[in-house]
Amino acid sequence: MGGQLSIPFNRPSFEGNEQIYIARAIANGHISGDGQFTKLCHTLLERILNVPKALLTTSCTHALEMSALLLGMQPGDEVIVPSFTFVSTVNAFVLHGFRPVFIDVRPDTLNMDELQLERLITPRTRAIVCVHYAGVGCEMDTIMEIADRHGIPVIEDNSHGLFARYKGKYLGTFGCLATQSFHETKNFTCGEGGALLINAPQYIERAEIIREKGTNRSRFFRGQVDKYTWVDVGSSYLPSDILAAFLYAQLEARDQIESKRRRIWEYYYANLDGWAKEHGVRLPIIPDHCNQAYHMFYLLLPSLEERQALIANLKARGIMAVFHYLPLHFSPMGQRFGGRPGDCLITEHVSDRLLRLPFYNNLTEDEQERVVAAVKEFRGVALG
Ligand SMILES: Cc1ncc(COP(=O)(O)O)c(C=O)c1O
């Protein structure tokens, strides 16, 4: 490493008033959920995205679980989900009794292949969950048209794509429900956190109850009932106002965060494009009608061996690159639902070959120069 500092895959950063707002939350004497900063985050998300209701949650996983509870479920109900996603996208629904039906992804954006949707719909299909991978919009026109025609609710797992747009409209505003993640690796973070965006107003009241342990506490605080009590099932999905304070500072700094991340993404693209073409490596594809979130930068290597060798090579130079996702359809859990290798061929192929480069708000151009040089230096298994 020649004494050079290592370059992590991710590094959280202060972007503005995080520390001031945390101190203010403590001075307010309200550090449990739904304090001043939680409300400020709700209002900001509702105003910018123009959604009827935003509710902070303890994670995107929990926002997905709330979605499953809100939809309700009869034994045997099915949910169509991509196999190429994080475990939570599907586990949240399985936890509440749904049976997953895995759909493959498109080879370009790695989003749900909308052309396969119709043939996977059965009389038992109760929900379609799409993931805007890397903060690039799924083909929402087609997905919504098919879902509406069959009367099936769509939930957007938008953990990568806050403030990104599809044909000018914000991701997270298409489905009846959408979920956000504020985990440390996301564009806007508070360490661990999430949000449920509610576009179909009929879910609002019950969502508030589910989020508050199955009680009508939110109505009580609004003075709509004179005592609160247990009215439904639920859990504790409220983050502390300390986390909301951190998050609010990040959301306020959204233009600054976006411009930093755009610069990083464009630097990688500009400096790796020629090399990639020469060596059969594919870079991200962003359709013209999508404004992406600049969430991540990935390479698709020609083979698993080359991907693994490049990760090891970068690591030897102190540069942390990672891969994801393992196909869910033939994970041990996926197999319990009948998933087999060969069911989602693009997912299987991509999962072996994808590599994510270090990407965080304060990644410097010097660091990126080192990453790019190390990638280009790689004389891997077959790259030559
Ligand atoms: C597509 C997707 N969905 C859901 C999650 C879960 O988010 P959280 O860690 O906030 O629960 C992740 C996390 O990386 C993700 O990538």
Side-chain angles (χ1 to χ4, degrees):
M1 271 191 250
Q4 277 183 313
L5 288 177
S6 64
I7 302 176
F9 171 68
N10 181 61
R11 183 186 276 144
S13 54
F14 290 120
E15 292 296 333
N17 291 325
E18 288 88 349
Q19 293 173 89
I20 295 168
Y21 290 171
I22 286 174
R24 201 178 294 166
I26 295 165
N28 282 342
H30 184 136
I31 57 170
S32 58
D34 280 346
Q36 180 198 8
F37 287 99
T38 306
K39 288 180 184 137
L40 285 169
C41 289
H42 290 171
T43 312
L44 182 147
L45 291 170
E46 286 162 10
R47 182 173 52 80
I48 308 247
L49 302 173
N50 194 23
V51 294
K53 192 80 191 165
L55 292 172
L56 289 196
T57 57
T58 30
S59 64
C60 179
T61 302
H62 280 165
L64 287 159
E65 285 178 24
M66 285 182 68
S67 307
L69 280 167
L70 281 168
L71 289 183
M73 191 266 323
Q74 302 298 319
D77 279 352
E78 295 170 354
V79 57
I80 300 179
V81 282
S83 173
F84 187 67
T85 184
F86 189 69
V87 176
S88 296
T89 315
V90 54
N91 182 69
F93 291 87
V94 171
L95 184 64
H96 292 288
F98 285 80
R99 180 184 171 77
V101 173
F102 292 104
I103 185 166
D104 208 352
V105 290
R106 299 165 54 107
D108 53 2
T109 55
L110 313 186
N111 281 331
M112 166 184 287
D113 183 352
E114 69 284 356
L115 300 181
Q116 296 191 31
L117 194 51
E118 192 116 36
R119 75 174 174 82
L120 295 175
I121 292 175
T122 74
R124 314 226 65 144
T125 308
R126 191 66 190 86
I128 295 167
V129 184
C130 59
V131 176
H132 303 298
Y133 181 68
V136 179
C138 295
E139 278 311 316
M140 293 316 289
D141 281 353
T142 311
I143 292 170
M144 293 310 294
E145 187 277 314
I146 296 171
D148 288 347
R149 187 153 36 79
H150 290 269
I152 301 169
V154 171
I155 293 129
E156 299 171 72
D157 178 342
N158 191 31
S159 40
H160 301 176
L162 185 55
F163 304 132
R165 280 170 285 150
Y166 168 82
K167 297 193 179 170
K169 187 167 151 65
Y170 284 116
L171 303 184
T173 65
F174 290 86
C176 59
L177 300 166
T179 63
Q180 301 296 153
S181 174
F182 302 118
H183 178 259
E184 155 179 88
T185 53
K186 303 302 186 291
N187 294 17
F188 308 92
T189 182
C190 56
E192 298 277 0
L196 179 67
L197 305 179
I198 305 177
N199 295 305
Q202 71 267 26
Y203 292 115
I204 294 176
E205 189 174 339
R206 193 153 175 254
E208 288 180 337
I209 291 168
I210 288 171
R211 182 168 166 270
E212 272 281 20
K213 303 97 182 162
T215 72
N216 55 353
R217 196 161 179 233
S218 301
R219 297 196 73 198
F220 171 72
F221 281 125
R222 285 198 296 265
Q224 293 166 327
V225 285
D226 55 13
K227 50 187 175 310
Y228 77 87
T229 185
W230 184 29
V231 294
D232 202 335
V233 293
S235 191
S236 185
Y237 292 125
L238 294 75
S240 156
D241 216 49
I242 294 184
L243 292 177
F246 193 102
L247 179 64
Y248 186 62
Q250 298 246 317
L251 293 175
E252 272 189 334
R254 62 194 173 281
D255 291 343
Q256 168 182 313
I257 292 175
E258 188 191 282
S259 78
K260 286 181 180 184
R261 298 184 78 96
R262 188 188 327 120
R263 185 202 63 71
I264 294 165
W265 197 95
E266 286 172 352
Y267 182 96
Y268 274 143
Y269 197 91
N271 287 281
L272 288 169
D273 190 35
W275 167 86
K277 286 195 175 100
E278 222 174 282
H279 293 92
V281 174
R282 169 150 104 57
L283 301 188
I285 294 171
I286 317 296
D288 286 344
H289 54 272
C290 291
N291 296 83
Q292 64 151 323
Y294 303 102
H295 174 54
M296 69 169 86
F297 197 91
Y298 63 81
L299 311 176
L300 277 178
L301 277 294
S303 68
L304 171 68
E305 293 70 29
E306 281 151 286
R307 196 268 307 271
Q308 295 305 90
L310 180 53
I311 289 178
N313 225 264
L314 292 173
K315 195 167 175 209
R317 287 164 174 70
I319 297 167
M320 300 304 146
V322 300
F323 65 86
H324 77 177
Y325 296 112
L326 292 179
L328 291 176
H329 65 281
F330 68 84
S331 63
M333 266 304 276
Q335 287 186 36
R336 284 209 225 161
F337 294 101
R340 300 268 174 282
D343 289 351
C344 297
L345 285 172
I346 307 286
T347 297
E348 292 167 36
H349 200 39
V350 162
S351 163
D352 279 349
R353 299 181 300 124
L354 190 137
L355 177 154
R356 294 174 64 185
L357 293 176
F359 203 115
Y360 46 89
N361 299 348
N362 288 347
L363 184 65
T364 65
E365 208 163 298
D366 282 353
E367 288 171 319
Q368 277 196 286
E369 216 179 294
R370 270 180 61 204
V371 175
V372 167
V375 168
K376 287 182 172 171
E377 234 176 75
F378 174 60
R379 293 283 170 265
V381 186
L383 282 178

